Structure formats: C-alpha cells, structure tokens
Amino acid sequence: MTVAPNIGLSAKHRSDIASGLNKVLADSYALYLKTHGYHWNVRGPNFQSLHVLLEGQYTEEWTALDAIAERIRALGELAPQGYAAFGNLSSIKDGDPEQDWEAMFNELKTDNETVIATLRAAFPAAEAAGDEATADLLTQRLLAHEKHAWMIRATLGGK
Ligand SMILES: [Fe+2]
C-alpha cells in the first residue's frame, strides 16, 4: 500500500506547484502581519476609516492563509511554518509603526502589488500541470489583492 498522492499530478508537477505556493503563502503572511500592525498603529484625523479599512483587509488575508497552506498539503507537500521560514521565502519587509498614515498606505500598496506579482509567477506551474484547483485558488487571491490595492490607492487619492 502506498500513501503517496494519486491525484492525477506527477510528483515533479506537485513539487513545482508547491514551490510557487510556498512563496505565495510567505508573502501573504507577511502582508497580513503588516496590515494588522498598521490597523493598530495608524494615526490621523481619518483614523476610524483607515482603522476599519485595514481590519477588513487583514481579516480577509488571514482567512486565505489557511486555504493556501492546505492546498500545499493537498498536493502532498509540507507547508512552510514559522517566522524564519516565512522570512526566508518572502521579500516583504516588516512595517514601521512610527510612519505617518500615507507612508503606511504607500507601503501596503507596494506590498499588495508584490503579492500580486508572486501570484502571477505561480500560475505557469499550475497551468503546465493542468492543476485547475490551484489555478482557481490563485485567481481568487488575485481578485482579493487587486481589490485591496484599489482601495488603498483610492484612499491615497489615486485611481
Ligand atoms: Fe482591531
């Protein structure tokens, strides 16, 4: 009896897809942490609306972390865990609570764009394997982060 996955995807494909998802998970976790931290530390005359906007975003991001990690597990790979593992995989840096709200929002715009780029980079491995389930998850995360980025841009006065 074998306990290896037999889900219509080769070991090489599953490993390649999981590599992309590992980075998606690490970047998503780093952005979640920063968004939650800025929810706490943001200051200014529009405090309430900024605080609530960030709460909506970090809650959405937090919920998605589990779906991303469990997709990696469903592919038969182990999900990265812990600050050191995420730090090595992610290019998103910790936030600075001393910054003013505009600097925080500019950073969150860039960080959402980083997650979007990481998501786009993960697509080819899923598509090459015909892995529609992972492609669907990546699509859902793209929709969410593109929406987050729009709301952050609009708060900053941009389109
Ligand atoms: Fe809160």
Side-chain angles (χ1 to χ4, degrees):
M1 179 188 134
T2 176
V3 291
N6 180 18
I7 58 173
L9 300 170
S10 71
K12 171 81 166 76
H13 276 146
R14 288 187 289 101
S15 166
D16 288 349
I17 295 160
S19 292
L21 286 170
N22 285 350
K23 186 151 172 49
V24 167
L25 179 61
D27 278 350
S28 300
Y29 217 120
L31 176 59
Y32 155 74
L33 266 182
K34 186 183 286 189
T35 304
H36 205 156
Y38 284 170
H39 161 81
W40 298 329
N41 289 311
V42 72
R43 301 172 307 283
N46 294 322
F47 168 79
Q48 182 64 12
S49 63
L50 302 175
H51 180 71
V52 169
L53 176 67
L54 295 181
E55 178 169 352
Q57 295 198 357
Y58 81 67
T59 301
E60 193 281 334
E61 289 160 357
W62 169 256
T63 304
L65 295 174
D66 204 51
I68 299 164
E70 293 188 357
R71 181 63 197 152
I72 296 168
R73 294 295 297 119
L75 289 165
E77 302 290 322
L78 296 177
Q81 64 172 83
Y83 288 116
F86 287 137
N88 287 334
L89 284 164
S90 176
S91 45
I92 293 175
K93 300 289 172 240
D94 287 342
D96 173 6
E98 298 287 349
Q99 299 188 101
D100 66 27
W101 79 268
E102 278 191 290
M104 290 179 180
F105 270 62
N106 271 304
E107 222 178 84
L108 291 174
K109 172 186 175 290
T110 301
D111 293 340
N112 270 280
E113 289 165 350
T114 296
V115 176
I116 288 164
T118 299
L119 285 161
R120 292 197 191 289
F123 264 100
E127 284 168 349
D131 180 358
E132 305 288 353
T134 295
D136 181 66
L137 175 62
L138 296 172
T139 301
Q140 295 305 314
R141 297 317 303 147
L142 269 179
L143 280 164
H145 288 289
E146 289 180 6
K147 184 172 179 178
H148 293 338
W150 151 51
M151 292 189 173
I152 290 165
R153 290 196 310 272
T155 303
L156 288 162
K159 289 184 181 173

